[in-house]
Amino acid sequence: MPDLSQRRVGGRVRLVDPSGRPLAGARARVEQTAHAFGFGNIGFDFLEWIGGAPDLEGARELEHFGGALSLDPERLADDYLGLFNAVTLPFYWRGYEPRRGQTDEARLKRTAQWFAERDVQIKGHPLVWHTLTPSWLLDLSDTEVEDVLRDRVRTTVANFAGVIDLWDAINEAVILPVFTAEENAVTRLAQSKGRVEMVKLAFESAREANPDARLVLNDFDLSADYERLIADCLDAGIQIDALGVQTHMHQGFRGEDQIAEILERFAAFGLPLQMTETTLLSGEIMPPEIVDLNDYIVDEWPSTPEGEARQADEIVRHYRTVLANPAVESLTYWGITDHGAWLGAPAGIIRADGSRKPAYDALHALIRGEWWVGPTDVTADADGIVAIDGFAGRYRVDSGTASAVVEVSDSTPIEIVVDPDAR
């Protein structure tokens, strides 16, 4: 079993009286309220319920890569918030701005604010990508495309600053200049500028708009080509805040050894890692000869009892393996439900009818069970310190006369003032 000891922190909270004297032997109750690690999923399913139906022709392209209005959105929201503390929202350009100058900003902003109010970390995905670009771009020259693209990045990031401060700045830059599945102006621009300059365009434009934003370079190509691109970007002085690593496993679980090896290779750059897009199927596995996952089209792709048992086992093994690498700061599963799932695959952890699969329960047992500190009664030592043994995150400490919520990331003592005479 992977070693997760590096994820645990020996948190210490010192209880003191109003004069600063440690309260030796004081009793308190400690309870975790949030993880520091980002356990995420996509929030595409909630756009129409929270943000409202799209009023722009073409705006439904936002849901193209997974997500649909749930049969019971309130129940789905409870299931989501009961497990995940991070969300990825879609900013695919073709759906966000199907007609030049007319954007879907209001609907996305309402959805983002709903998650923010519930203390969920929000990421926007993606700012620059060759897929799902608007058709009106094709009528522009390369110079005009670059100007419009820079403006798209700056305006979007600026308009969402303070609500969304984490972005996949550019998606799948390795394949960008050689992409041939559909004609698009962003690939055309990349053929003249090159990969590094396209990455620079995305990162610099976003940082101009929001200097406090965290920007991610994200890719599915986990070969040496991605490593070379990262090295070239860093050599060019591009400030990358995190590296995104996709693991859509429609063709089967890659296994602990392969996942661990991938993480070790990219952790060598010394940057935080984000597992940005993970899927594991609860039905038939896609044939291995398929090169582009989008090319596999079937009339029906059901979840099966055997597949659900396999998915539950694999999802636990995958999460344990990922968390064993201390460089990883988040893991985003790509799809909470099979209803409207990407490619129609049974990749969700909730069935199309809204019922939970074993994978949901297995993840819940980890994130809110094994890796969670429930209400625990503790006694302060001679120095007034109570120990917190758990994953980094937010904890509530209640002494009976005082209560405080503290962020625990290491063993540095955090003081809470308690009035022992209060009634």
Side-chain angles (χ1 to χ4, degrees), residues 1-163:
M1 184 177 295
D3 181 10
L4 302 185
S5 59
Q6 295 183 77
R7 290 288 175 186
R8 303 191 74 85
V9 294
R12 300 193 299 164
V13 177
R14 177 180 284 114
L15 306 179
V16 300
D17 66 16
S19 67
R21 181 171 58 87
L23 294 173
R27 300 282 296 169
R29 174 164 289 188
V30 172
E31 180 178 5
Q32 189 170 4
T33 61
H35 273 289
F37 187 89
F39 292 103
N41 208 312
I42 57 172
F44 304 5
D45 309 76
F46 299 100
L47 280 170
E48 192 161 332
W49 178 54
I50 298 168
D55 55 8
L56 294 175
E57 182 181 351
R60 286 193 186 275
E61 292 284 2
L62 285 164
E63 291 87 2
H64 183 81
F65 280 83
L69 182 62
S70 171
L71 304 176
D72 188 348
E74 290 189 6
R75 177 181 175 184
L76 188 66
D78 287 342
D79 285 336
Y80 193 105
L81 298 173
L83 189 55
F84 301 109
N85 63 356
V87 67
T88 295
L89 294 180
F91 284 79
Y92 303 118
W93 198 356
R94 187 183 301 168
Y96 188 74
E97 192 179 4
R99 292 191 294 276
R100 188 172 181 179
Q102 298 181 21
T103 71
D104 205 26
E105 177 185 330
R107 194 166 74 114
L108 266 292
K109 189 163 287 184
R110 284 192 293 269
T111 307
Q113 288 170 338
W114 185 91
F115 279 104
E117 289 165 2
R118 287 153 181 82
D119 202 26
V120 176
Q121 170 70 58
I122 308 161
K123 178 200 271 189
H125 168 86
L127 291 171
V128 176
W129 195 28
H130 49 273
T131 299
L132 288 184
T133 54
S135 58
W136 52 263
L137 273 180
L138 289 170
D139 298 328
L140 306 181
S141 68
D142 284 357
T143 299
E144 291 171 322
V145 169
E146 180 172 349
D147 290 342
V148 171
L149 180 54
R150 288 183 184 275
D151 182 67
R152 134 80 173 187
V153 173
R154 286 192 291 256
T155 301
T156 304
V157 171
N159 289 349
F160 282 83
V163 180

Side-chain angles (χ1 to χ4, degrees), residues 256-332:
E256 290 94 333
D257 290 345
Q258 187 179 147
I259 294 296
E261 185 271 335
I262 289 169
L263 294 175
E264 287 175 9
R265 284 196 291 115
F266 290 100
F269 287 99
L271 295 170
L273 302 183
Q274 296 186 359
M275 296 294 279
T276 52
E277 303 178 28
T278 284
T279 49
L280 289 160
L281 303 192
S282 64
E284 290 294 323
I285 300 299
M286 185 183 291
E289 64 269 17
I290 302 297
V291 176
D292 185 339
L293 302 189
N294 294 280
D295 292 339
Y296 185 66
I297 300 173
V298 292
D299 294 333
E300 191 177 27
W301 203 346
S303 183
T304 65
E306 298 79 11
E308 290 181 1
R310 184 190 66 240
Q311 182 194 43
D313 172 69
E314 292 174 347
I315 206 166
V316 168
R317 292 161 58 195
H318 182 63
Y319 272 68
R320 287 191 187 280
T321 304
V322 169
L323 265 73
N325 190 310
V328 184
E329 64 181 17
S330 63
L331 196 168
T332 296

Side-chain angles (χ1 to χ4, degrees), residues 359-371:
Y360 182 100
D361 295 329
L363 262 190
H364 195 278
L366 288 180
I367 297 171
R368 292 300 182 95
E370 182 180 333
W371 300 340

Side-chain angles (χ1 to χ4, degrees), residues 206-229:
R207 215 170 293 284
E208 287 172 17
N210 181 3
D212 296 326
R214 296 192 69 232
L215 305 176
V216 182
L217 179 66
N218 188 47
D219 218 300
F220 74 91
D221 188 328
L222 306 183
S223 71
D225 291 337
Y226 189 24
E227 293 175 82
R228 281 191 288 270
L229 175 62

